[in-house]
Amino acid sequence: FSSSSTTENGGTVSTKVRLKSAPLSPVTITLNSSDTQEGTVSPTVLTFNKDNWDSYVSIIVTGVDDDIADGSQSYEIQIASVVSEDSKYSALNGQIDPIKLQNEDDEIKAIVLGSLSGDTTEAGGNATFSVKLASKPIEAVSIPIISTDTSEGTVSVSSLSFDNSNYNTVQIVTVNGEDDDERDGNIAYQVKIGPTSSNSLPYNNVESLTHSITNIDNETSGVTVSSTNITIDEAGGTSTFTVKLVTKPSADVTINLRSTDPGEGIINPSSLIFTKDNDSSPDYWNTEHTVTVTGVDDNLADGNQSFKIQLLPITGTGSGYDQDNNGSGFDPDDVTVVNTDNEAGAGIAVSVSDNTTSESGDTGSLTISLNTEPSALVIIPVDDNDSSEATVSPSTLIFTPTNWNS
């Protein structure tokens, strides 16, 4: 034959047959297919005589289709009989081996998976999808349905069964979102469909498929700050505020703190750790963590100064708190702080040591200083009110943050 395989979509194989010598009487050869549901042969009867013995007769075998995914099926083209009164040909009856062929299946062996309706939620939202087989199986087929994380999502059935009567009827699988009390963010998991099991090929061990799902968290991030406006003073006065989380994190998280003006106020501690476990720990997420802000003194009459204690975005290792804001972390409210100045107001101090002069050249003297340290140069012009009676030196006084009280 031209090939050893036919196909269910009508693919054929062929050969040509003739006798090797002229018969003394007609020779009739009958051909059969061992399985006409897989392949048919044409013609089924060949007749040769002394006139046509050396003329080739074409034999064509055609694959037969079915609707079953049965894989490649073997069958034979059998020489059922050789009938002739010529003894050398009649002796061949039953002595010729059949020709082995196989019919290639055109059904697809596969799980047909419908699209996912959406994600699940911790608030009870579910997702659904459909499953069926791509073709009719020979025997029953079982498909396991497995969630890779049952703490986030569970499936309505653990397996589906199909046979040759319901293989193309969709069966619905429901995936239910599971709730917890942690701010763990949106968690991805999968539902695995397969691999199949069956007592017959080709539907035994068909590879599995998966649906990727996200379980949407129903806890929200939140930080409670006891006061967002406090006052300290330059005499070392302190003020405190407390910080705690609103919801339990799924892993330990940290809030780092920073003073926008350490020259006015310093903080202690500079970071806060919140743990998910051990409610007796001072670092437990629901325990108020105290932050102390202490005023810093200077020599400047700079008035009351405002600055902030920044609570920086939360950092961690996979909780919903550090997933917020596109992964930059939940950003708590900052605290506004006013540092009250303890320097007196601006002024000039004058001390007179000798207030008498004379026309004979005696001099008088006085000293001048500032009451408080300036934040920049201070220039004071000095003049007498009657240059016919006295002159003044120097005519200009310059004060800086280093000589203001000299």
Side-chain angles (χ1 to χ4, degrees):
F1 278 98
S2 56
S3 172
S4 61
S5 298
T6 56
T7 64
E8 286 192 357
N9 60 7
T12 63
V13 296
S14 63
T15 191
K16 295 179 180 180
V17 177
R18 70 177 180 87
L19 301 185
K20 287 187 175 181
S21 60
L24 298 177
S25 64
V27 177
T28 300
I29 301 173
T30 302
L31 304 176
N32 286 334
S33 169
S34 64
D35 188 347
T36 55
Q37 292 184 336
E38 295 296 336
T40 59
V41 61
S42 179
T44 57
V45 177
L46 308 177
T47 301
F48 294 97
N49 55 42
K50 62 183 180 61
D51 297 319
N52 71 350
W53 67 270
D54 58 351
S55 297
Y56 280 104
V57 176
S58 293
I59 298 174
I60 297 175
V61 181
T62 303
V64 176
D65 193 20
D66 58 37
D67 62 355
I68 301 174
D70 51 0
S72 298
Q73 295 294 309
S74 298
Y75 65 103
E76 298 175 341
I77 300 302
Q78 302 166 335
I79 292 79
S81 65
V82 180
V83 178
S84 177
E85 293 182 1
D86 186 334
S87 61
K88 70 176 183 294
Y89 279 105
S90 63
L92 297 176
N93 187 47
Q95 303 301 308
I96 303 175
D97 292 333
I99 300 168
K100 297 182 182 299
L101 298 173
Q102 63 178 11
N103 194 30
E104 301 292 345
D105 198 9
D106 66 350
E107 276 74 38
I108 298 172
K109 56 174 185 177
I111 301 170
V112 179
L113 192 59
S115 59
L116 189 68
S117 64
D119 288 322
T120 58
T121 72
E122 288 190 358
N126 58 41
T128 60
F129 60 89
S130 63
V131 182
K132 68 177 182 177
L133 299 184
S135 53
K136 182 186 290 187
I138 299 174
E139 296 189 59
V141 178
S142 178
I143 304 177
I145 310 295
I146 301 170
S147 168
T148 60
D149 188 347
T150 54
S151 68
E152 295 296 336
T154 56
V155 293
S156 57
V157 292
S158 59
S159 66
L160 301 174
S161 295
F162 293 92
D163 55 31
N164 57 18
S165 65
N166 72 342
Y167 71 95
N168 61 350
T169 300
V170 297
Q171 297 188 43
I172 302 300
V173 177
T174 301
V175 187
N176 299 299
E178 295 297 313
D179 192 19
D180 56 42
D181 63 352
E182 296 179 353
R183 178 66 174 118
D184 52 357
N186 302 332
I187 304 297
Y189 65 103
Q190 292 183 326
V191 172
K192 184 179 178 182
I193 302 94
T196 64
S197 61
S198 178
N199 289 330
S200 297
L201 292 174
Y203 264 108
N204 186 46
N205 203 32
V206 174
E207 65 183 17
S208 62
L209 302 175
T210 57
H211 263 314
S212 295
I213 310 177
T214 298
N215 196 30
I216 306 301
D217 197 7
N218 65 346
E219 282 78 32
T220 57
S221 298
V223 175
T224 299
V225 180
S226 61
S227 178
T228 56
N229 291 277
I230 61 175
T231 300
I232 55 178
D233 62 61
E234 287 189 354
T238 63
S239 188
T240 62
F241 61 90
T242 61
V243 182
K244 68 175 183 177
L245 303 185
V246 172
T247 51
K248 182 180 181 180
S250 59
D252 296 352
V253 297
T254 300
I255 299 177
N256 291 307
L257 299 95
R258 179 174 61 196
S259 171
T260 60
D261 190 348
E264 293 293 341
I266 56 175
I267 50 177
N268 184 48
S270 59
S271 66
L272 305 173
I273 297 175
F274 297 88
T275 61
K276 63 168 289 190
D277 299 316
N278 191 4
D279 58 8
S280 62
S281 167
D283 290 333
Y284 190 57
W285 67 274
N286 197 32
T287 299
E288 293 183 334
H289 293 46
T290 300
V291 178
T292 301
V293 185
T294 303
V296 175
D297 194 16
D298 56 36
N299 293 316
L300 299 175
D302 52 358
N304 298 339
Q305 296 294 309
S306 178
F307 64 100
K308 287 184 180 294
I309 302 300
Q310 294 177 323
L311 281 69
L312 301 179
I314 290 178
T315 59
T317 55
S319 79
Y321 277 97
D322 49 82
Q323 291 176 8
D324 284 332
N325 297 327
N326 298 317
S328 64
F330 181 82
D331 193 2
D333 293 334
D334 296 334
V335 176
T336 299
V337 185
V338 174
N339 192 26
T340 305
D341 196 12
N342 67 348
E343 276 73 38
I348 299 173
V350 179
S351 176
V352 179
S353 58
D354 186 352
N355 64 355
T356 304
T357 60
S358 69
E359 291 185 355
S360 61
D362 293 330
T363 62
S365 64
L366 54 88
T367 58
I368 299 174
S369 62
L370 303 184
N371 286 339
T372 57
E373 180 182 337
S375 58
L377 290 178
V378 177
I379 300 173
I380 302 175
V382 181
D383 193 9
D384 61 83
N385 63 353
D386 188 350
S387 58
S388 65
E389 292 295 333
T391 58
V392 179
S393 177
S395 60
T396 302
L397 302 176
I398 299 176
F399 294 97
T400 68
T402 59
N403 73 349
W404 63 274
N405 59 352
S406 300

